[in-house]
Each structure stands twice: as C-alpha cells, then as structure tokens.
Amino acid sequence: MPDPATYRPAPGSIPVDPGVYRFSDQHGRVIYVGKAKNLRSRLTSYFADIAGLHPRTRQMVTTAANVQWTVVTTEVEALQLEYNWIKEFDPRFNVRYRDDKSYPVLAVTVGEEYPRLFVYRGARRKGVRYFGPYSHAWAIRETVDLLTRVFPARTCSAGVFKRHNQIGRPCLLGYIDKCAAPCVGRVSADEHRRIVEDFCDFLSGKTDRYARELEQQMTEAAEALDFERAARLRDDLSALRRALEKQAVVLGDGTDADVVAFAEDALEAAVQVFHVRGGRVRGQRGWVVEKPSGPSDPDESVEAQLVEQFLTQFYGEQAELGGAADEGGFTGDEATNPVPREVLVPCLPPNSDELAAWLSGLRGSRVVLRVPRRGDKRALAETVQRNAAEALQQHKMRRAGDFNARSAALQSIQDCLGLADAPLRIECVDISHVQGTDVVASLVVFEDGLPRKSDYRHYSIREAAGDGRSDDVASIAEVTRRRFWRHVQDAQSVNAPGEPATTSDVADSAAPAGRPARFAYPPNLYVVDGGAPQVNAAAAALADLGVTDVAVIGLAKRLEEVWVPGEPDPVIMPRNSEGLYLLQRIRDEAHRFAITFHRSKRSKRMTASALDAVPGLGEHRRKALVTHFGSVARLRDASVEEITSVPGIGVATATAVLTALGAGPSAADSAGSAAGEPTLGNDDVAEQVTR
C-alpha cells in the first residue's frame, strides 16, 4: 500500500491557480479526477493526516502513487476538462452516471437514408434519437401504433425492408396505411424523412400544431362533402389525443425543465430526474451510485457535490448525443435540445454560476439553475424526491444478498490463499481444441466478482500448437506471455511517479502521453484451468517477464483443487464456500468463451467453396475474387478479361476458375486461345485435377 508521503509534491511546487488534477496508481491508471479554484489548497488537503480523511478519500490516496495537474484560466474551463478526463479515464473513485439500460426507449435511426422507429435497450449510439425512457416496452409499441396512423414511418428491420424492396410489394403495414412504404418507392427518401421529422417533433412537444392542422383539414373535408376523408382525419385526431393523454400535465405554464432529486444513505445515493417539456413529463431516468468522498471544501455539502457531478456528467453526455443526432439530419430547437432552459435541483453548489455558464454554452442559450421554493414546481420536486427514495430502497433490497455474497467470496479467496488484499480483478485463461486442431485460448475478466465482458480476449495459439499437435502447458505459457507482455511494455512507458504535468498538457489533455491501454492493467489474481504443470508454466512466464505482483493459481476440474506455484500439495477450499463457487464461475465462463471461439474458427475452416478445387488458387486470391465480384454466381458469369483485372489473377488461373465453376466450353476455349495454349475440355481438366 503506497504511502501518500512518497509522492507528495515538493513544497511550493503546486500553483495557486485554478486547474484540474488526477491521481494515478502504480500502473499509471487514473483513479480519480478533480478540479479546484486553488490547486495548492485542494491538493494539500489530500496529504493531511490520514486518520482525519474521509474513508473513501483515505482509500484513494493510499491506492494512488502519483498526482498530476493542469492549470486552466477559468473555472468553466476546469469543468469542461474535468468532464473530458472523467469520460476518457473512467476513474474508479469518481462517481459515474451511466445510462440505465433496463428501461426501454423509442429509437429513431435518423442517420439512415430511410429512418426507422423501434424499441431499444442498450448503450446510446450516434445518429440515433431516443425518446423516453418508458416503464414498459408495450407502452412504446402502443404509442407507435397510435401515431403511425398520422405519421406512417418505417418500423421494419433492415432485412424485412430489403426483402420487400426486392419483391416489389409492401408489407401488411403498407397495405393498411400505417407505413408510407418507402421500400417500394411509394414515397421518396425526402418525403419519408419529413414524415419522421414530424413524428419526432410531435414526441418532442410540438403537439398543438398538428392537432390544429388535423382539425382544420377535417373541417375543410366536411365542408367539401368528402365525408370519408373527414372520418379518417377524425380518427387520426382521436389517435393523437389518446397519445397525449398518456403524458400527464404537471406544469400548466408550459415549462421546459429538468427536475433532479437525490436520496442517500451512508454508502450510496440514488438520483432521479424528470424531463418536463411543454409542461408534460416526457421521460424519467434514475441511477444509484456510490457516494463520493467527503468534499475538500468545508463549505460544500455532500448533496451539493452530488449535484455538481451529476450536472457535469449527465448534460455533457446528453449534449454530445444531441450533436450526433443533429448530424443525422435534425437540428436542435427549444423542444429537442438536450439541455433545458431550467434545471431544478435540491440545493445549489458553491460554483453554481460557473455551472450555469457551462450549461448555457452547451445549450446555446441561457440556462437557469435554481431550487424550487413553492407552487407546482416545489410539489413536483417532492414527487421526484420520493421516487429517488423508493429507488434507493428497492436497490438496497435487490443488491443486499448478491453484494454480501460477492464480498464474502472475495474475502474467502483472500483468506484461503493468504493474499495481502482481496482480489478485486481476477483473470482466468482456458485452452480449447479438438485433437490438436484450431487450438485457441480464452481470457475472461471479473471485477468485484462480476464479469467485465468488455475486457474479454481470445487468442489463436501460434507457437505451442499447430499441424495436429497441441501442448496445453506450453499454450498456457504462451497466452500468459502475450497477455502480460503488453502490461510490461506499458509500465515502462508510464511517466515517473511524482512528475507533474505541465501547462502544455492542456492542448493534449484528451490523450496524455504515457497512458497505458485499458486492458494492460494487471489482475490481482491470475487463474488457469489446470493443475500443477499449468500453474508452474504460467508462473515461469510471469517470472521471465519480471511480473511479481500478480498471484497465480490453478483450478483442477476433477476434485476442484486449487494449485499454487511451487507447492507439492493443493489448497482444498470448503465445498460450500463462496470463494470456491466464484472461482468455479470464472473457470466455467472461460471454458464457455473458449469453446465459442473454437467453434467459430472451426466452422470457418470447414466451410467449403466451389473455388477450393481450383489448382493454383490460394486462400488470399480466392478471397480477392469473391470480394471483387461479390459472389460466386457473379464470378461464374464474368469473362476472362474481367477476372484477370483482379490483381494476382492470370489468364491460366482465370481459365481454371471458369472451368471449375462450369462456365461453359466457350469461355474456356476463348481463355485458352488468349493464352496461346491448347484448350482442355471439362473431362480433360477433371482428369488432370484427379492426377
């Protein structure tokens, strides 16, 4: 455990200007990012007596091994730089407000030529606009079903759209006028985009205009005695009103605002935000996060710190997503701007003026940040706060058993193996093959007892296997070398501890030099699927690389024995221990991931092609031919001159390709004549290939 005194900057070396600072651990990983009006005053507070620090702050300063800072001109610049660094480095001690993926949203793919409406769960992507979140997926489908009467936009997938485009007939929705059928050219791409724009404007709050237009058209049709059209417009108007009834009016003055509230306990905090547009609640979001460390400023409360962090992270990300949507063809306005004109919060942070200025820059116009005191806005804020308290309670009830089990598992592993710290990051490697063919390896990562699938890796064994041979022990050693070689290389390029950043880092703050790759961070525990030989091979590979801070064990399948390098006897963990159960889960996940990669690789190898029997045509030239023509069928219809236009393909090879594909004797004869060689019939070629 590092001592903060070992990396404390020299007295007087810290400037008194405003700026942004970051703490890094011994591997160069950024673990905390903060800002300050006075860098010297703020950073000095971290190096006070450890006993007097907040528990989370104490854990952070004892984990860190280096501190760097960047001087800026104003506090608004500090806010922007802090947000950029938190987004880039994802520090473990910073509070992160990530999108809650559990709620469904209505997605509109504005970046496509023919935008599509569909229900979506998951990470936000560029070129897509999102409405919601909604409480249930059926609520989205019901709303879309109502509104497609008025706005017949495309809702089908890309495969369905392409198929109906090929057959020249629309789907059922096209026949019943719930889709404009752009797949068959009933409307152009521009006309369909205007329909989608109107749909998005309606969901964004511009409802009165469309209702008035439909009512006027209905009246005109009735006066013209076109009662069928008037009845259809009446039904459309009724559908719009039913869709509006699903959104409650909470503010009668048509206010555009976001209402934010928090509920907290000793360890965690829940945040709820209601998006109010045109006086109606358009969406609701919620997060549960760990409480930040105690504020360094004595005048700042924990709630004020939560408010500040939420505003910078949430609206910074929403502004980027809104900019991506604008690139897809929609321009922002009052109703669709991700930053509202007013943000209602439970309390104002000390730098509320700077936050308001920063939010105004994101929005492009003035943003008011205030606390509601009376009236409807106060009542709505109390409702949001009750939702936050309920969300926190449900989260605690849902996570209690799982969190306690994971903590007990990590503690059990630490005690049984005699580790200095609990293994917060565990990596496991497994080998998969069939009789020495397609030998692959998998590496899975668990952090805090949960899988981190973004860090999963798979390897094709190069040296220890091939040509029908395989060596699991050597394969384990090869994977270990390849995985930790990156860690060793990046560790050598990290800046020396205690070296502060200069002001020149401002221009390159998004990607500072010496930052290691995310996956290069070493695990606390490295698990191999196997017994003593595999464990000793992995330990020897780590010793050759000079890695000494990673514990290595092996988990044998037969008796679930835990093997430690250099020990003649295994460690026997209790059969009912949470630690053994966690190790089994990690081992089984590595096994599953390895088998999946092995099967995909084997299926690719076993896939046969009509071009495989062509003599002199290797893998790369086969791929070049298929890539150039698109398919084997188009290649069969091509001439010799067209085939020889592909780099690396001569006349003789083109002749053999056409003959193998059965393109006919005329093509082969012309090819042979062009080459100045005697032609061969199909039977002759077959006989030659047989020989």
Side-chain angles (χ1 to χ4, degrees), residues 252-585:
D253 56 353
T255 301
D256 294 339
D258 283 354
V259 187
V260 185
F262 296 87
E264 58 184 283
D265 60 8
L267 300 176
E268 294 179 312
V271 57
Q272 288 282 316
V273 54
F274 279 24
H275 305 288
V276 182
R277 299 294 183 270
R280 299 177 180 269
V281 178
R282 302 295 182 184
Q284 173 188 359
R285 296 185 188 182
W287 298 263
V288 177
V289 297
E290 294 184 4
K291 289 182 64 174
S293 59
S296 300
D297 190 350
D299 299 331
E300 184 180 8
S301 63
V302 176
E303 190 176 36
Q305 192 178 11
L306 286 170
V307 170
E308 178 187 341
Q309 293 177 348
F310 173 78
L311 295 178
T312 55
Q313 295 186 34
F314 177 74
Y315 288 110
E317 184 176 358
Q318 293 303 306
E320 292 182 0
L321 293 174
D326 293 344
E327 294 173 3
F330 291 88
T331 58
D333 53 22
E334 292 294 325
T336 62
N337 200 311
V339 184
R341 289 179 293 191
E342 190 175 12
V343 181
L344 306 180
V345 294
C347 66
L348 292 176
N351 58 341
S352 58
D353 295 338
E354 289 79 9
L355 280 170
W358 183 68
L359 293 174
S360 301
L362 294 180
R363 173 179 170 83
S365 60
R366 184 170 179 263
V367 175
V368 178
L369 188 65
R370 69 184 187 90
V371 179
R373 300 296 184 185
R374 62 182 70 85
D376 295 339
K377 294 181 179 179
R378 176 65 181 177
L380 181 58
E382 293 175 353
T383 301
V384 179
Q385 203 281 329
R386 286 196 300 269
N387 278 265
E390 182 66 21
L392 180 61
Q393 182 65 24
Q394 293 180 358
H395 170 79
K396 291 169 64 177
M397 295 176 59
R398 184 171 58 252
R399 290 282 310 271
D402 183 55
F403 179 79
N404 292 335
R406 288 189 285 112
S407 300
L410 296 176
Q411 186 64 41
S412 175
I413 295 174
Q414 178 185 356
D415 296 338
C416 292
L417 301 179
L419 303 177
D421 300 308
L424 299 181
R425 181 180 174 106
I426 305 176
E427 297 182 4
C428 181
V429 63
D430 189 21
I431 308 297
S432 180
H433 63 91
V434 174
Q435 296 181 349
T437 60
D438 303 318
V439 185
V440 299
S442 68
L443 189 141
V444 300
V445 180
F446 276 57
E447 287 192 355
D448 293 333
L450 297 175
R452 190 180 184 94
K453 295 190 176 183
S454 61
D455 283 359
Y456 283 17
R457 297 292 186 272
H458 52 234
Y459 302 85
S460 295
I461 302 302
R462 304 168 183 169
E463 305 171 358
D467 298 329
R469 68 177 181 89
S470 65
D471 186 346
D472 286 357
V473 176
S475 299
I476 290 288
E478 179 182 340
V479 173
T480 304
R481 267 192 316 271
R482 291 165 61 181
R483 186 264 176 267
F484 286 94
W485 179 85
R486 294 178 56 191
H487 163 56
V488 173
Q489 295 298 316
D490 288 315
Q492 295 175 355
S493 62
V494 173
N495 295 335
E499 181 181 327
T502 61
T503 55
S504 62
D505 294 334
V506 176
D508 195 26
S509 61
R515 181 175 65 90
R518 186 181 184 90
F519 187 67
Y521 307 135
N524 302 107
L525 181 64
Y526 187 70
V527 183
V528 300
D529 184 11
Q534 288 83 358
V535 174
N536 293 330
L542 291 176
D544 294 339
L545 294 172
V547 179
T548 59
D549 55 348
V550 177
V552 184
I553 63 169
L555 185 62
K557 288 188 179 72
R558 187 171 64 91
L559 298 175
E560 304 295 349
E561 301 168 334
V562 178
W563 291 87
V564 180
E567 296 293 334
D569 299 319
V571 177
I572 306 298
M573 300 182 66
R575 303 293 293 182
N576 59 348
S577 74
E578 293 290 344
L580 180 60
Y581 175 68
L582 177 59
L583 292 177
Q584 290 172 333
R585 280 187 57 206

Side-chain angles (χ1 to χ4, degrees), residues 583-634:
L583 292 177
Q584 290 172 333
R585 280 187 57 206
I586 298 173
R587 191 265 316 278
D588 295 342
E589 176 70 2
H591 188 59
R592 180 201 64 81
F593 194 52
I595 290 178
T596 303
F597 180 49
H598 168 74
R599 288 174 178 172
S600 66
K601 189 175 181 179
R602 184 178 60 183
S603 63
K604 291 180 181 179
R605 179 178 57 83
M606 297 180 66
T607 302
S609 173
L611 299 176
D612 294 341
V614 179
L617 190 66
E619 179 183 356
H620 294 288
R621 291 201 291 176
R622 285 199 305 268
K623 187 179 296 185
L625 283 173
V626 176
T627 303
H628 182 79
F629 290 99
S631 66
V632 177
R634 293 182 180 179

Side-chain angles (χ1 to χ4, degrees), residues 41-97:
S41 176
R42 179 63 57 86
L43 289 178
T44 302
S45 66
Y46 288 102
F47 297 97
D49 186 13
I50 295 181
L53 297 177
H54 186 277
R56 189 171 175 86
T57 304
R58 181 165 60 249
Q59 184 183 5
M60 187 272 294
V61 297
T62 54
T63 305
N66 183 24
V67 60
Q68 299 177 325
W69 60 83
T70 297
V71 176
V72 297
T73 306
T74 63
E75 290 188 55
V76 179
E77 293 182 16
L79 282 170
Q80 183 64 46
L81 184 57
E82 181 191 33
Y83 166 72
N84 291 336
W85 280 1
I86 292 176
K87 182 179 179 182
E88 178 186 1
F89 298 112
D90 192 16
R92 55 177 293 196
F93 288 98
N94 280 95
V95 177
R96 291 301 309 273
Y97 293 93

